[in-house]
Amino acid sequence: MKRQWSLILAIIFAIIIAIFAVINVEPVEVDYLFGKAEWPLVLIILGSVFMGGFIIASAGVVRILTIHRRLKVAEKKMRNYKLS
């Protein structure tokens, strides 16, 4: 049930972000280290949201892999203690 609520909240959040992004379509100037460019604000908003999601997902994957690795080490230690 918790996963369903998480999915529902994620969809609602995505709809709110999409509406907010579509409302803001005027071009804005973006300063880079090496120059300037003019982009529609909708692309800046959506790009920021996707980059934030990618960073959070990457951190989650690293954490899951770390926990999985620790679990394997603990299981190996437990097997060694049982054999002793």
Side-chain angles (χ1 to χ4, degrees):
M1 189 69 174
K2 183 180 176 186
R3 286 183 127 173
Q4 291 173 344
W5 281 109
S6 297
L7 181 63
I8 290 170
L9 289 175
I11 291 171
I12 291 171
F13 182 71
I15 291 171
I16 290 171
I17 293 294
I19 291 170
F20 178 74
V22 170
I23 291 172
N24 296 294
V25 293
E26 56 274 343
V28 294
E29 188 174 298
V30 179
D31 293 323
Y32 300 107
L33 292 174
F34 50 85
K36 296 180 182 180
E38 203 165 287
W39 290 80
L41 187 56
V42 64
L43 293 179
I44 304 297
I45 293 169
L46 292 177
S48 299
V49 169
F50 286 131
M51 285 300 292
F54 178 74
I55 291 169
I56 294 297
S58 298
V61 166
V62 168
R63 183 173 178 172
I64 288 171
L65 291 175
T66 303
I67 290 171
H68 187 67
R69 193 174 304 124
R70 285 183 184 176
L71 178 63
K72 281 188 172 185
V73 169
E75 286 174 344
K76 186 176 180 181
K77 284 183 181 180
M78 195 169 75
R79 266 187 264 121
N80 288 340
Y81 286 136
K82 284 184 180 180
L83 293 176
S84 300

